[in-house]
Amino acid sequence: MAYGPDLTDLFRRAGTYIDRILKGAKAGELPIERPSKFSLVINLKTAKALGLPIPDGLLALADEVIE
């Protein structure tokens, strides 16, 4: 199980920073942004192999379930 920032969203947002820098903004003056989108990924195959029960409610909340 992993919960963390959505990497696709981070890369997309980095593109806007690059755009600003290429248009002349100083990198040191740009605000720091925190991730705004997070993902929950559950590896059900590994959980079953370890004998760990995963509640159905948690599976319903997951953004991705690896079976």
Side-chain angles (χ1 to χ4, degrees):
M1 196 166 21
Y3 181 73
D6 185 348
L7 295 179
T8 305
D9 186 53
L10 286 178
F11 292 137
R12 190 173 295 123
R13 293 174 72 185
T16 61
Y17 264 65
I18 294 169
D19 181 54
R20 290 180 188 176
I21 292 169
L22 291 175
K23 288 181 178 176
K26 294 183 180 178
E29 295 177 359
L30 291 175
I32 296 173
E33 291 188 23
R34 290 192 264 167
S36 61
K37 185 176 179 185
F38 292 84
S39 297
L40 173 63
V41 179
I42 298 175
N43 190 328
L44 198 55
K45 181 179 178 181
T46 301
K48 285 181 181 179
L50 294 172
L52 300 173
I54 305 294
D56 290 335
L58 188 58
L59 287 173
L61 293 174
D63 296 300
E64 181 180 352
V65 177
I66 300 169
E67 298 199 33

